[in-house]
Short mmCIF file of all heavy atoms in Angstrom, two decimals:
data_model
loop_
_atom_site.label_atom_id
_atom_site.label_comp_id
_atom_site.label_asym_id
_atom_site.label_seq_id
_atom_site.Cartn_x
_atom_site.Cartn_y
_atom_site.Cartn_z
N THR A 42 54.30 39.23 93.89
CA THR A 42 53.76 38.12 93.05
C THR A 42 54.32 38.18 91.66
O THR A 42 54.04 37.36 90.73
CB THR A 42 52.25 38.38 92.96
OG1 THR A 42 52.00 39.57 92.26
CG2 THR A 42 51.54 38.35 94.25
N GLY A 43 55.14 39.27 91.37
CA GLY A 43 55.65 39.48 89.98
C GLY A 43 54.78 40.48 89.31
O GLY A 43 55.25 41.08 88.39
N LYS A 44 53.55 40.68 89.69
CA LYS A 44 52.63 41.57 89.05
C LYS A 44 52.32 42.83 90.16
O LYS A 44 52.14 43.91 89.76
CB LYS A 44 51.32 40.96 88.62
CG LYS A 44 51.54 39.93 87.54
CD LYS A 44 50.26 39.28 87.24
CE LYS A 44 50.49 38.27 86.12
NZ LYS A 44 49.33 37.49 85.88
N GLU A 45 52.29 42.45 91.46
CA GLU A 45 51.98 43.38 92.36
C GLU A 45 52.57 42.98 93.79
O GLU A 45 53.14 41.85 93.91
CB GLU A 45 50.37 43.42 92.53
CG GLU A 45 49.79 42.17 93.05
CD GLU A 45 48.26 42.16 93.10
OE1 GLU A 45 47.68 43.31 93.26
OE2 GLU A 45 47.73 41.20 92.96
N LEU A 46 52.56 43.94 94.69
CA LEU A 46 52.92 43.64 96.07
C LEU A 46 51.73 43.50 96.90
O LEU A 46 50.88 44.48 97.03
CB LEU A 46 53.81 44.79 96.53
CG LEU A 46 55.28 44.89 96.03
CD1 LEU A 46 55.93 46.19 96.54
CD2 LEU A 46 56.05 43.69 96.39
N LEU A 47 51.57 42.39 97.60
CA LEU A 47 50.50 42.14 98.52
C LEU A 47 50.98 42.26 99.92
O LEU A 47 51.98 41.61 100.28
CB LEU A 47 49.87 40.71 98.33
CG LEU A 47 49.37 40.40 96.88
CD1 LEU A 47 48.86 38.99 96.81
CD2 LEU A 47 48.19 41.35 96.57
N THR A 48 50.21 42.97 100.78
CA THR A 48 50.57 43.09 102.19
C THR A 48 49.86 41.80 102.88
O THR A 48 48.63 41.71 102.78
CB THR A 48 50.11 44.37 102.79
OG1 THR A 48 50.75 45.43 102.14
CG2 THR A 48 50.46 44.48 104.33
N LEU A 49 50.64 41.03 103.65
CA LEU A 49 50.16 39.88 104.34
C LEU A 49 50.53 40.01 105.80
O LEU A 49 51.65 40.41 106.06
CB LEU A 49 50.76 38.61 103.80
CG LEU A 49 50.45 38.20 102.33
CD1 LEU A 49 51.18 36.93 101.82
CD2 LEU A 49 48.94 38.08 102.08
N GLU A 50 49.55 39.70 106.71
CA GLU A 50 49.72 39.82 108.10
C GLU A 50 50.17 38.49 108.64
O GLU A 50 49.51 37.38 108.24
CB GLU A 50 48.39 40.16 108.66
CG GLU A 50 48.58 40.53 110.23
CD GLU A 50 47.25 40.96 110.80
OE1 GLU A 50 46.43 41.49 110.19
OE2 GLU A 50 47.12 40.70 112.08
N VAL A 51 51.34 38.32 109.33
CA VAL A 51 51.83 37.18 109.81
C VAL A 51 51.04 36.75 111.02
O VAL A 51 50.94 37.48 112.01
CB VAL A 51 53.33 37.34 110.18
CG1 VAL A 51 53.89 36.06 110.80
CG2 VAL A 51 54.11 37.64 108.96
N GLN A 52 50.44 35.52 110.95
CA GLN A 52 49.62 34.96 112.07
C GLN A 52 50.46 33.98 112.83
O GLN A 52 50.33 33.99 114.17
CB GLN A 52 48.49 34.22 111.43
CG GLN A 52 47.48 33.66 112.48
CD GLN A 52 46.29 33.01 111.85
OE1 GLN A 52 45.87 33.47 110.89
NE2 GLN A 52 45.82 31.97 112.49
N GLY A 53 51.49 33.27 112.29
CA GLY A 53 52.18 32.16 113.11
C GLY A 53 53.59 32.06 112.50
O GLY A 53 53.71 32.11 111.21
N VAL A 54 54.59 31.71 113.37
CA VAL A 54 55.94 31.49 112.93
C VAL A 54 56.43 30.24 113.62
O VAL A 54 56.29 30.10 114.81
CB VAL A 54 56.79 32.66 113.25
CG1 VAL A 54 58.25 32.41 112.78
CG2 VAL A 54 56.30 33.96 112.67
N LYS A 55 56.99 29.38 112.85
CA LYS A 55 57.71 28.14 113.47
C LYS A 55 59.02 28.01 112.62
O LYS A 55 59.16 28.57 111.55
CB LYS A 55 56.83 26.89 113.22
CG LYS A 55 55.56 26.89 113.96
CD LYS A 55 54.81 25.51 113.83
CE LYS A 55 54.02 25.43 112.56
NZ LYS A 55 53.16 24.31 112.40
N PHE A 56 59.90 27.19 113.18
CA PHE A 56 61.14 26.95 112.50
C PHE A 56 61.39 25.39 112.30
O PHE A 56 61.03 24.60 113.09
CB PHE A 56 62.32 27.43 113.41
CG PHE A 56 62.16 28.99 113.59
CD1 PHE A 56 61.58 29.46 114.70
CD2 PHE A 56 62.65 29.92 112.71
CE1 PHE A 56 61.43 30.88 114.94
CE2 PHE A 56 62.52 31.25 112.85
CZ PHE A 56 62.00 31.81 113.93
N PHE A 57 61.87 25.11 111.12
CA PHE A 57 62.22 23.70 110.74
C PHE A 57 63.46 23.76 109.94
O PHE A 57 63.46 24.25 108.82
CB PHE A 57 61.06 23.20 109.94
CG PHE A 57 61.21 21.80 109.44
CD1 PHE A 57 61.12 20.79 110.41
CD2 PHE A 57 61.46 21.52 108.03
CE1 PHE A 57 61.39 19.43 109.91
CE2 PHE A 57 61.66 20.26 107.66
CZ PHE A 57 61.56 19.15 108.55
N LYS A 58 64.47 23.09 110.52
CA LYS A 58 65.85 23.08 109.92
C LYS A 58 66.28 24.47 109.55
O LYS A 58 66.19 25.33 110.42
CB LYS A 58 65.85 22.19 108.76
CG LYS A 58 65.54 20.64 109.21
CD LYS A 58 65.72 19.67 108.04
CE LYS A 58 65.38 18.31 108.56
NZ LYS A 58 65.51 17.30 107.40
N GLN A 59 66.62 24.75 108.34
CA GLN A 59 67.09 26.11 107.85
C GLN A 59 65.90 26.92 107.39
O GLN A 59 66.08 28.01 107.00
CB GLN A 59 68.11 26.04 106.79
CG GLN A 59 67.68 25.74 105.39
CD GLN A 59 67.68 24.19 105.04
OE1 GLN A 59 67.55 23.49 105.96
NE2 GLN A 59 67.75 23.97 103.74
N PHE A 60 64.69 26.42 107.42
CA PHE A 60 63.46 27.10 107.01
C PHE A 60 62.63 27.66 108.14
O PHE A 60 62.75 27.31 109.28
CB PHE A 60 62.61 26.09 106.20
CG PHE A 60 63.18 25.55 104.99
CD1 PHE A 60 63.79 24.33 104.96
CD2 PHE A 60 63.20 26.34 103.75
CE1 PHE A 60 64.42 23.80 103.77
CE2 PHE A 60 63.91 25.85 102.67
CZ PHE A 60 64.42 24.57 102.68
N VAL A 61 61.83 28.71 107.62
CA VAL A 61 60.87 29.29 108.62
C VAL A 61 59.58 28.95 108.02
O VAL A 61 59.31 29.04 106.85
CB VAL A 61 61.05 30.85 108.56
CG1 VAL A 61 59.94 31.55 109.36
CG2 VAL A 61 62.38 31.30 108.98
N ILE A 62 58.59 28.45 108.88
CA ILE A 62 57.30 28.12 108.52
C ILE A 62 56.32 29.31 108.85
O ILE A 62 56.29 29.68 109.99
CB ILE A 62 56.74 26.87 109.17
CG1 ILE A 62 57.80 25.67 109.01
CG2 ILE A 62 55.31 26.44 108.67
CD1 ILE A 62 57.97 25.24 107.68
N LEU A 63 55.74 29.89 107.81
CA LEU A 63 54.90 31.07 108.12
C LEU A 63 53.38 30.75 107.86
O LEU A 63 53.13 30.00 106.90
CB LEU A 63 55.30 32.26 107.25
CG LEU A 63 56.57 32.92 107.59
CD1 LEU A 63 56.84 34.11 106.55
CD2 LEU A 63 56.72 33.41 108.96
N LYS A 64 52.55 31.27 108.71
CA LYS A 64 51.09 31.24 108.51
C LYS A 64 50.58 32.70 108.36
O LYS A 64 50.95 33.50 109.26
CB LYS A 64 50.44 30.59 109.68
CG LYS A 64 48.92 30.54 109.67
CD LYS A 64 48.32 29.67 108.62
CE LYS A 64 46.82 29.52 108.71
NZ LYS A 64 46.17 30.68 108.05
N PHE A 65 49.82 32.95 107.32
CA PHE A 65 49.36 34.24 107.08
C PHE A 65 47.89 34.45 107.39
O PHE A 65 47.14 33.38 107.18
CB PHE A 65 49.58 34.67 105.62
CG PHE A 65 50.97 34.70 105.20
CD1 PHE A 65 51.43 33.84 104.22
CD2 PHE A 65 51.83 35.63 105.72
CE1 PHE A 65 52.75 33.80 103.80
CE2 PHE A 65 53.18 35.62 105.35
CZ PHE A 65 53.67 34.72 104.40
N LYS A 66 47.50 35.43 108.06
CA LYS A 66 46.11 35.63 108.44
C LYS A 66 45.22 35.67 107.24
O LYS A 66 45.52 36.37 106.18
CB LYS A 66 46.02 36.99 109.27
CG LYS A 66 44.68 37.19 109.96
CD LYS A 66 44.59 38.40 110.69
CE LYS A 66 43.33 38.54 111.46
NZ LYS A 66 43.34 39.67 112.34
N GLY A 67 44.12 34.96 107.24
CA GLY A 67 43.17 34.87 106.14
C GLY A 67 43.47 33.98 105.00
O GLY A 67 42.66 33.78 104.10
N ILE A 68 44.56 33.23 105.17
CA ILE A 68 44.90 32.21 104.14
C ILE A 68 44.92 30.88 104.91
O ILE A 68 45.81 30.56 105.65
CB ILE A 68 46.23 32.57 103.47
CG1 ILE A 68 46.19 33.82 102.69
CG2 ILE A 68 46.60 31.32 102.51
CD1 ILE A 68 47.49 34.30 101.91
N ASP A 69 43.91 30.14 104.75
CA ASP A 69 43.71 28.94 105.56
C ASP A 69 43.61 27.67 104.68
O ASP A 69 43.25 26.57 105.25
CB ASP A 69 42.37 29.02 106.36
CG ASP A 69 42.43 30.31 107.27
OD1 ASP A 69 43.50 30.49 107.89
OD2 ASP A 69 41.50 31.06 107.13
N ASP A 70 44.04 27.79 103.39
CA ASP A 70 43.87 26.59 102.50
C ASP A 70 45.13 26.46 101.64
O ASP A 70 45.53 27.53 101.19
CB ASP A 70 42.63 26.76 101.78
CG ASP A 70 42.32 25.55 100.83
OD1 ASP A 70 41.79 24.47 101.39
OD2 ASP A 70 42.72 25.61 99.66
N ILE A 71 45.56 25.25 101.43
CA ILE A 71 46.76 25.08 100.63
C ILE A 71 46.57 25.65 99.18
O ILE A 71 47.49 26.11 98.56
CB ILE A 71 47.14 23.50 100.51
CG1 ILE A 71 48.50 23.34 99.91
CG2 ILE A 71 46.03 22.75 99.92
CD1 ILE A 71 49.01 21.99 99.86
N ASN A 72 45.34 25.58 98.70
CA ASN A 72 45.05 26.09 97.34
C ASN A 72 45.12 27.58 97.23
O ASN A 72 45.48 28.14 96.19
CB ASN A 72 43.73 25.64 96.83
CG ASN A 72 43.52 24.15 96.75
OD1 ASN A 72 44.49 23.46 96.31
ND2 ASN A 72 42.52 23.55 97.15
N GLU A 73 44.95 28.24 98.34
CA GLU A 73 45.07 29.78 98.36
C GLU A 73 46.49 30.21 98.30
O GLU A 73 46.83 31.30 97.78
CB GLU A 73 44.38 30.26 99.61
CG GLU A 73 42.94 30.18 99.60
CD GLU A 73 42.45 30.69 100.99
OE1 GLU A 73 42.46 31.95 101.13
OE2 GLU A 73 41.92 29.93 101.81
N ILE A 74 47.43 29.43 98.87
CA ILE A 74 48.79 29.79 99.00
C ILE A 74 49.74 29.15 98.03
O ILE A 74 50.83 29.69 97.68
CB ILE A 74 49.31 29.44 100.46
CG1 ILE A 74 50.61 30.37 100.78
CG2 ILE A 74 49.60 28.01 100.60
CD1 ILE A 74 50.38 31.81 100.93
N GLU A 75 49.26 28.08 97.30
CA GLU A 75 50.07 27.35 96.34
C GLU A 75 50.64 28.26 95.28
O GLU A 75 51.76 28.12 94.77
CB GLU A 75 49.30 26.25 95.74
CG GLU A 75 49.88 25.41 94.64
CD GLU A 75 51.09 24.54 95.03
OE1 GLU A 75 50.98 24.06 96.19
OE2 GLU A 75 51.92 24.50 94.24
N ARG A 76 49.81 29.21 94.69
CA ARG A 76 50.27 30.08 93.61
C ARG A 76 51.38 31.00 93.99
O ARG A 76 51.97 31.60 93.04
CB ARG A 76 49.07 30.78 93.13
CG ARG A 76 48.46 31.82 94.05
CD ARG A 76 47.28 32.52 93.61
NE ARG A 76 46.55 33.09 94.67
CZ ARG A 76 45.23 33.44 94.60
NH1 ARG A 76 44.71 33.39 93.61
NH2 ARG A 76 44.68 33.94 95.73
N TYR A 77 51.69 31.13 95.24
CA TYR A 77 52.80 32.03 95.70
C TYR A 77 54.16 31.32 95.86
O TYR A 77 55.06 31.99 96.34
CB TYR A 77 52.37 32.76 96.96
CG TYR A 77 51.07 33.58 96.71
CD1 TYR A 77 50.10 33.54 97.64
CD2 TYR A 77 51.12 34.47 95.68
CE1 TYR A 77 48.89 34.31 97.37
CE2 TYR A 77 49.83 35.26 95.49
CZ TYR A 77 48.83 35.12 96.34
OH TYR A 77 47.65 35.78 96.15
N ARG A 78 54.18 30.02 95.52
CA ARG A 78 55.53 29.36 95.55
C ARG A 78 56.64 30.13 94.71
O ARG A 78 56.21 30.65 93.62
CB ARG A 78 55.30 27.99 95.02
CG ARG A 78 54.61 27.05 95.92
CD ARG A 78 54.41 25.70 95.46
NE ARG A 78 55.81 25.11 95.27
CZ ARG A 78 56.08 23.97 94.68
NH1 ARG A 78 55.14 23.35 94.25
NH2 ARG A 78 57.28 23.53 94.58
N HIS A 79 57.77 30.29 95.22
CA HIS A 79 58.97 30.95 94.60
C HIS A 79 58.84 32.43 94.54
O HIS A 79 59.56 33.13 93.87
CB HIS A 79 59.16 30.50 93.25
CG HIS A 79 59.25 28.89 93.20
ND1 HIS A 79 60.23 28.19 93.76
CD2 HIS A 79 58.47 27.93 92.65
CE1 HIS A 79 60.12 26.79 93.50
NE2 HIS A 79 59.00 26.74 92.93
N CYS A 80 57.79 32.98 95.34
CA CYS A 80 57.67 34.43 95.39
C CYS A 80 58.54 34.90 96.56
O CYS A 80 58.63 34.31 97.56
CB CYS A 80 56.18 34.87 95.57
SG CYS A 80 55.19 34.65 94.11
N SER A 81 59.05 36.22 96.41
CA SER A 81 59.82 36.81 97.46
C SER A 81 58.97 37.43 98.49
O SER A 81 57.95 38.12 98.16
CB SER A 81 60.84 37.73 96.87
OG SER A 81 61.71 37.04 95.99
N LEU A 82 59.55 37.58 99.70
CA LEU A 82 58.89 38.27 100.74
C LEU A 82 59.70 39.46 101.15
O LEU A 82 61.01 39.27 101.36
CB LEU A 82 58.71 37.39 102.04
CG LEU A 82 57.83 36.24 101.81
CD1 LEU A 82 57.79 35.36 103.04
CD2 LEU A 82 56.40 36.68 101.52
N PHE A 83 59.25 40.60 101.45
CA PHE A 83 59.95 41.82 101.78
C PHE A 83 59.38 42.44 103.00
O PHE A 83 58.17 42.23 103.33
CB PHE A 83 59.87 42.91 100.57
CG PHE A 83 60.57 42.46 99.35
CD1 PHE A 83 59.89 41.62 98.42
CD2 PHE A 83 61.81 42.83 99.12
CE1 PHE A 83 60.51 41.18 97.22
CE2 PHE A 83 62.43 42.46 97.87
CZ PHE A 83 61.80 41.68 97.01
N VAL A 84 60.20 43.31 103.65
CA VAL A 84 59.71 44.13 104.66
C VAL A 84 60.04 45.63 104.31
O VAL A 84 61.06 45.77 103.64
CB VAL A 84 60.30 43.89 106.11
CG1 VAL A 84 59.86 42.49 106.55
CG2 VAL A 84 61.83 43.94 106.14
N MET A 85 59.32 46.52 104.79
CA MET A 85 59.57 47.96 104.67
C MET A 85 60.82 48.31 105.54
O MET A 85 60.93 47.74 106.58
CB MET A 85 58.43 48.84 104.93
CG MET A 85 57.18 48.59 104.00
SD MET A 85 57.64 48.85 102.27
CE MET A 85 57.96 50.69 102.19
N ARG A 86 61.55 49.28 105.14
CA ARG A 86 62.76 49.70 105.96
C ARG A 86 62.33 50.02 107.43
O ARG A 86 63.02 49.66 108.26
CB ARG A 86 63.35 50.92 105.33
CG ARG A 86 64.52 51.54 106.17
CD ARG A 86 65.15 52.75 105.41
NE ARG A 86 65.92 52.33 104.34
CZ ARG A 86 67.20 51.96 104.45
NH1 ARG A 86 67.84 51.90 105.55
NH2 ARG A 86 67.84 51.62 103.25
N GLU A 87 61.13 50.62 107.60
CA GLU A 87 60.83 50.98 108.92
C GLU A 87 60.38 49.81 109.81
O GLU A 87 60.38 49.84 110.98
CB GLU A 87 59.64 52.01 108.99
CG GLU A 87 58.43 51.62 108.12
CD GLU A 87 58.36 52.00 106.66
OE1 GLU A 87 59.42 52.44 106.15
OE2 GLU A 87 57.36 52.04 106.10
N ASP A 88 60.09 48.71 109.10
CA ASP A 88 59.76 47.41 109.83
C ASP A 88 61.07 46.48 110.00
O ASP A 88 60.98 45.39 110.60
CB ASP A 88 58.71 46.61 109.09
CG ASP A 88 57.34 47.44 109.12
OD1 ASP A 88 57.13 48.14 110.10
OD2 ASP A 88 56.63 47.26 108.01
N ALA A 89 62.18 46.99 109.44
CA ALA A 89 63.40 46.11 109.52
C ALA A 89 63.93 46.10 110.92
O ALA A 89 63.63 47.07 111.70
CB ALA A 89 64.43 46.70 108.58
N VAL A 90 64.85 45.14 111.22
CA VAL A 90 65.46 45.03 112.54
C VAL A 90 66.31 46.27 112.81
O VAL A 90 67.13 46.55 111.89
CB VAL A 90 66.27 43.75 112.54
CG1 VAL A 90 67.11 43.62 113.91
CG2 VAL A 90 65.39 42.61 112.44
N PRO A 91 66.28 46.83 113.77
CA PRO A 91 67.18 47.98 114.10
C PRO A 91 68.62 47.49 114.13
O PRO A 91 68.91 46.42 114.65
CB PRO A 91 66.81 48.41 115.60
CG PRO A 91 65.48 47.81 115.84
CD PRO A 91 65.39 46.52 115.02
N LEU A 92 69.49 48.26 113.55
CA LEU A 92 70.86 47.96 113.54
C LEU A 92 71.64 48.42 114.69
O LEU A 92 71.44 49.53 115.21
CB LEU A 92 71.56 48.47 112.18
CG LEU A 92 70.94 47.99 110.94
CD1 LEU A 92 71.54 48.68 109.74
CD2 LEU A 92 71.08 46.46 110.79
N SER A 93 72.78 47.69 115.07
CA SER A 93 73.66 48.25 116.06
C SER A 93 74.63 49.07 115.45
O SER A 93 74.78 49.07 114.17
CB SER A 93 74.38 47.04 116.71
OG SER A 93 73.37 46.13 117.33
N GLU A 94 75.48 49.82 116.20
CA GLU A 94 76.50 50.70 115.77
C GLU A 94 77.49 49.82 114.93
O GLU A 94 77.87 48.71 115.36
CB GLU A 94 77.20 51.36 116.84
CG GLU A 94 78.17 52.51 116.35
CD GLU A 94 78.87 53.23 117.44
OE1 GLU A 94 78.15 53.40 118.45
OE2 GLU A 94 79.96 53.61 117.28
N GLY A 95 77.82 50.29 113.73
CA GLY A 95 78.80 49.51 112.83
C GLY A 95 78.20 48.46 112.03
O GLY A 95 78.85 47.78 111.30
N GLU A 96 76.80 48.28 112.03
CA GLU A 96 76.12 47.42 111.22
C GLU A 96 75.39 48.18 110.05
O GLU A 96 74.98 49.42 110.33
CB GLU A 96 75.03 46.63 112.02
CG GLU A 96 75.63 45.55 112.87
CD GLU A 96 74.57 44.73 113.59
OE1 GLU A 96 73.44 45.27 113.88
OE2 GLU A 96 74.85 43.68 113.96
N TYR A 97 75.32 47.59 108.95
CA TYR A 97 74.65 48.28 107.82
C TYR A 97 73.91 47.28 106.98
O TYR A 97 74.26 46.00 107.03
CB TYR A 97 75.88 48.85 106.88
CG TYR A 97 76.82 49.72 107.62
CD1 TYR A 97 78.04 49.17 108.01
CD2 TYR A 97 76.56 50.99 107.96
CE1 TYR A 97 78.99 49.86 108.67
CE2 TYR A 97 77.44 51.71 108.66
CZ TYR A 97 78.65 51.20 109.00
OH TYR A 97 79.56 51.87 109.73
N PHE A 98 72.91 47.75 106.26
CA PHE A 98 72.12 46.87 105.34
C PHE A 98 72.99 46.66 104.12
O PHE A 98 73.49 47.75 103.50
CB PHE A 98 70.84 47.48 105.03
CG PHE A 98 69.82 47.52 106.25
CD1 PHE A 98 69.38 48.65 106.70
CD2 PHE A 98 69.37 46.33 106.80
CE1 PHE A 98 68.48 48.71 107.81
CE2 PHE A 98 68.48 46.32 107.81
CZ PHE A 98 68.10 47.49 108.42
N ILE A 99 73.11 45.59 103.66
CA ILE A 99 73.87 45.29 102.38
C ILE A 99 73.33 46.11 101.27
O ILE A 99 74.10 46.68 100.39
CB ILE A 99 73.86 43.72 102.08
CG1 ILE A 99 74.69 43.01 103.20
CG2 ILE A 99 74.54 43.51 100.75
CD1 ILE A 99 74.61 41.47 103.04
#
Side-chain angles (χ1 to χ4, degrees):
T42 68
K44 296 179 183 174
E45 62 181 335
L46 286 174
L47 300 175
T48 302
L49 299 176
E50 191 177 330
V51 176
Q52 181 178 326
V54 179
K55 296 187 276 188
F56 298 94
F57 177 72
K58 297 184 181 179
Q59 78 268 27
F60 295 99
V61 179
I62 309 297
L63 292 181
K64 171 75 175 83
F65 301 114
K66 189 174 186 177
I68 299 178
D69 301 314
D70 183 83
I71 189 172
N72 297 320
E73 292 177 67
I74 200 71
E75 174 71 33
R76 63 182 161 198
Y77 299 128
R78 287 179 63 191
H79 308 294
C80 290
S81 296
L82 299 174
F83 293 85
V84 295
M85 296 301 291
R86 178 179 286 276
E87 56 268 18
D88 297 326
V90 173
L92 297 176
S93 300
E94 188 175 331
E96 290 184 327
Y97 310 97
F98 291 115
I99 294 170

